[in-house]
Amino acid sequence: MAYLTLKNINKIYPNGFHAVHNFNLEIEKGEFVVFVGPSGCGKSTTLRMIAGLEDISNGEFLINGRRANELGPREREIAMVFQSYALYPQMTVYDNIAFGLTLQGVDEDVIEERVNNTARILGLTDYLDRLPRALSGGQRQRVAIGRAIIRKVGVFLMDEPLSNLDAKQRVTMRYEIAQIHRNTGATTIYVTHDQTEAMTLADRIVVMKDGYVQQVGTPYELYFRPANVFVAGFIGEPPMNFIRGTVRNGALKFGDTPLELSRKFADIARYEGKEIVFGFRPEAIHLGAREDAYVLTSRVELTEMLGDNTNVYIHSGEDQAILKVDSHDTPETDVDITFSIPMESVYLFDGENENVIC
Ligand code: ATP
C-alpha cells in the first residue's frame, strides 16, 4: 500500500490547452478516492499523470513522500485498469492474468498459485482456458481487474471501468469492486462521470469541472454540505432543484412569489438587491403545508412512476423542479399541488460566484 501526494499539479497539453489547474490532494494508504465530473473536466488526464502515462507540466507528485514526477509507469508500482479492458485477444484468461508476472520472470509455480487465487477472488476459475472473445463484458472486465491485482502493487487506478457494461452488470461489478478493495486494501483511484458510482464506492470524492477541483469530501459531506451550485447539482439523483431570485426586504422574490428568508439566514441583509440561488433536494419535500417550512404551490406537468417513488415535474417561476414523492401519493398531472420544504433542508448560494452562503 502506498500514499500519494499531488501538489499544485497542472497539465498543459502541447497545443497550449490547460486541462488541469492546481490540483492538490493527499491520498492515504488504502483509501478509495473517486474523481468525478462531466466529460472533459480533466479526470483522465489527472489519472494518467499519476500513472506516468502523461507528463506533469507543473507541480509535484509524490509516492510515499518521494518525488515521482520523473519515474516511468513501471517504476511507480501502479496498476491501471482501462475502460477498454486492453486484453490480449489471442491469449487465454489464464495467460492474460499471468502476463505481468510472466514478463517479470516469476516462477511458474508461483504464477499458477497467484492466478488461481486471483481467479477465485474474481469468480473466474471456470473460465481460465477461454479466450476473451468467449466472455461477457463483465467477465472481461474481471480479467482486466485480475491482471492488475495479481501484481500486488500499492496503487490501483481505474478509468471508467464499468462504462462498457449494461446497467445491471454495472451494479454487480460495483459491488465486486468494493469487495476487491476490501480484500486487497490497495490504495485506489477510480475515475467516473457517474455520481452514483462515486457515492457508493468512495471513501472520498473529488468533484472536478473545467480542469478545476470544485470540492473534496466524503459522500456524506458532498451531499449535505456542497460547496457550490455545481457540486450541489452534480451529487444526488434527481439533482438538487435551483430557483434564482432577488433578495428584496429580506425575502427572496422569484416571479410573483416572495419567500421570507430572514428566519434561517441571519446575514441576508448583505444580499439585499442581489441575486441568490435557492436550492432544495427533490427528496427533501413533503406534500401539503407544514410549519417551519417554505410552502409553495405549483402545477404538475409530468409524473414518472419509478416503483417505490415518483418524480413529479413542476414549474416554480421560470425554473423547472423535480419533487420526489412516495408513489402512493402520486398527484394528477395538470393540477396544482402544495408542498413544503423544511427550512433546514434549504441551501442558499451566491447568485454571482455560485458559492454556498449557508
Ligand atoms: P471523459 O470523461 O470524456 O474522458 P475527462 O474528464 O477524463 O473526460 P480528459 O480526458 O482528462 O477529460 O480531458 C480533459 C481536457 O483535455 C478535454 O477538454 C480534452 O479535450 C483535453 N485533452 C485531452 N487530451 C488532450 C491532448 N492530447 N491534447 C490537447 N487536449 C487534450
Side-chain angles (χ1 to χ4, degrees), residues 29-223:
K29 279 186 184 171
E31 201 178 6
F32 197 122
V33 171
V34 177
F35 295 171
V36 71
S39 183
C41 70
K43 335 178 268 292
S44 299
T45 301
T46 308
L47 198 74
R48 292 170 61 80
M49 287 192 280
I50 293 170
L53 301 171
E54 204 65 74
D55 286 340
I56 295 169
S57 311
N58 262 307
E60 201 169 31
F61 171 55
L62 302 104
I63 303 176
N64 293 328
R66 285 216 210 109
R67 183 178 161 98
N69 290 44
E70 289 75 26
L71 295 182
R74 291 212 160 262
E75 296 163 300
R76 295 187 188 200
E77 292 286 298
I78 284 176
M80 184 149 170
V81 178
F82 297 92
Q83 182 176 342
S84 60
Y85 312 151
L87 300 179
Y88 298 104
Q90 76 286 12
M91 287 188 194
T92 61
V93 168
Y94 182 100
D95 289 336
N96 263 289
I97 297 176
F99 188 69
L101 300 184
T102 311
L103 269 192
Q104 286 171 24
V106 175
D107 241 24
E108 276 302 322
D109 293 353
V110 177
I111 292 182
E112 191 177 341
E113 194 197 327
R114 300 245 304 254
V115 172
N116 286 335
N117 269 340
T118 306
R120 201 167 34 246
I121 293 172
L122 294 168
L124 288 170
T125 306
D126 295 339
Y127 303 94
L128 288 171
D129 296 332
R130 290 207 195 169
L131 292 175
R133 68 166 176 271
L135 298 176
S136 72
Q139 289 162 341
R140 280 180 216 173
Q141 185 53 279
R142 270 182 260 165
V143 178
I145 292 172
R147 206 171 46 177
I149 63 175
I150 199 169
R151 289 178 49 210
K152 295 199 171 150
V153 292
V155 184
F156 203 27
L157 308 181
M158 300 194 190
D159 193 353
E160 304 252 8
L162 308 187
S163 55
N164 290 336
L165 305 181
D166 66 36
K168 213 165 179 180
Q169 283 177 320
R170 275 208 298 272
V171 175
T172 314
M173 276 308 289
R174 211 166 68 200
Y175 171 81
E176 288 186 16
I177 286 174
Q179 291 292 79
I180 292 164
H181 178 249
R182 206 201 299 225
N183 291 337
T184 59
T187 309
T188 304
I189 308 177
Y190 185 104
V191 160
T192 181
H193 59 267
D194 181 326
Q195 67 90 33
T196 312
E197 269 174 37
M199 292 293 275
T200 50
L201 285 168
D203 291 319
R204 276 191 308 157
I205 300 175
V206 179
V207 182
M208 296 181 73
K209 181 190 171 215
D210 298 336
Y212 289 91
V213 172
Q214 301 291 307
Q215 191 172 1
V216 180
T218 62
Y220 185 94
E221 283 164 347
L222 295 192
Y223 181 84

